[in-house]
Amino acid sequence: MENILFEYPVREDNGSLDEEFQVLKKQLTKLKYAVMISSFCALAMYFLSAFFAKAELIFYFLTALFVCIAMITGKIFVRYPKHFLHIKATENELEITYYKDKKSSHTFAYGEIEEIRFTDKSYTAVCIKREGRKPILFELNKDTPEQGFFLFTIQKILPAVCKTNSKAIAKEFGNEDDYYNRIYEGNNKKWI
């Protein structure tokens, strides 16, 4: 059996991650509909105010109320993670299961990986190129161990294929210990 060098999230069974993703998709769908309905209601109230001149103030108030509801719901929607990423790195291969609109699983033998690089300046999108195959893109949740894996850990495992600017990463995030200490400290504060 191969040694596991990195796994996030650590799970005995990936089935629970599938269930979490389905619950998240349902919640996001409800939030999308709430934003659309409240935005539609705000527009309807605004246009109805033109037809009922005597009650114009009530319609303006209702318009403002529905706009506030849409804004609050929209802010909640933006805070939800839009995807999950399960990473498992062993001595010889990298397994990634990516949940966005659907589940996709990829297994990379280290020898077939040509390049791993970030595709944005905020270090939240990764491209993995393999020999003779289409590149695969993944989004990363900011300030999570999945981002830390691609910032620091993969560079130790595959230094020849990682095309990252280590100095820029160190300047923005510090070293690996600082990064993980900061995100775990931040997660602990959220739960207190």
Side-chain angles (χ1 to χ4, degrees):
M1 183 171 167
E2 290 187 85
N3 289 333
I4 296 174
L5 303 175
F6 182 91
E7 184 173 14
Y8 175 79
V10 178
R11 299 200 183 258
E12 295 299 321
D13 178 25
N14 282 344
S16 60
L17 196 60
D18 291 336
E19 293 167 10
E20 285 180 36
F21 183 68
Q22 291 306 320
V23 169
L24 177 69
K25 275 181 68 170
K26 288 178 184 176
Q27 289 173 339
L28 288 174
T29 302
K30 288 178 185 177
L31 285 172
K32 283 181 192 177
Y33 284 127
V35 170
M36 289 189 309
I37 290 169
S38 57
S39 298
F40 175 77
C41 289
L43 283 172
M45 292 298 128
Y46 180 74
F47 288 122
L48 285 175
S49 68
F51 294 114
F52 301 101
K54 291 183 181 179
E56 189 175 86
L57 190 59
I58 293 171
F59 285 104
Y60 285 148
F61 173 74
L62 290 174
T63 300
L65 178 69
F66 283 118
V67 166
C68 288
I69 291 170
M71 288 173 53
I72 290 168
T73 310
K75 283 187 176 187
I76 293 170
F77 176 74
V78 169
R79 288 185 190 152
Y80 269 80
K82 306 293 187 289
H83 64 275
F84 289 138
L85 188 65
H86 178 259
I87 303 168
K88 184 177 179 182
T90 62
E91 293 173 336
N92 297 314
E93 63 185 20
L94 174 63
E95 296 174 22
I96 295 178
T97 306
Y98 186 60
Y99 300 83
K100 186 155 180 163
D101 298 324
K102 59 181 181 167
K103 177 182 176 181
S104 62
S105 296
H106 306 279
T107 302
F108 306 95
Y110 291 145
E112 72 178 2
I113 299 174
E114 288 181 353
E115 178 182 46
I116 298 174
R117 64 179 169 82
F118 288 99
T119 59
D120 64 347
K121 292 182 180 182
S122 62
Y123 301 101
T124 56
V126 172
C127 175
I128 299 177
K129 290 184 181 179
R130 298 185 286 180
E131 294 175 3
R133 295 189 184 158
K134 183 179 174 183
I136 298 172
L137 298 170
F138 301 103
E139 291 180 35
L140 305 172
N141 290 312
K142 192 170 180 70
D143 296 328
T144 59
E146 67 191 42
Q147 185 185 31
F149 174 77
F150 285 102
L151 286 170
F152 303 105
T153 310
I154 196 68
Q155 292 184 22
K156 292 177 182 176
I157 298 171
L158 296 171
V161 298
C162 290
K163 307 295 183 202
T164 58
N165 186 345
S166 300
K167 290 180 183 178
I169 290 172
K171 183 178 179 182
E172 186 169 342
F173 298 103
N175 64 22
E176 185 175 8
D177 293 334
D178 293 340
Y179 178 82
Y180 284 115
N181 288 337
R182 187 180 76 248
I183 63 170
Y184 286 123
E185 181 179 297
N187 286 339
N188 289 338
K189 286 181 181 177
K190 289 178 189 177
W191 300 106
I192 293 175

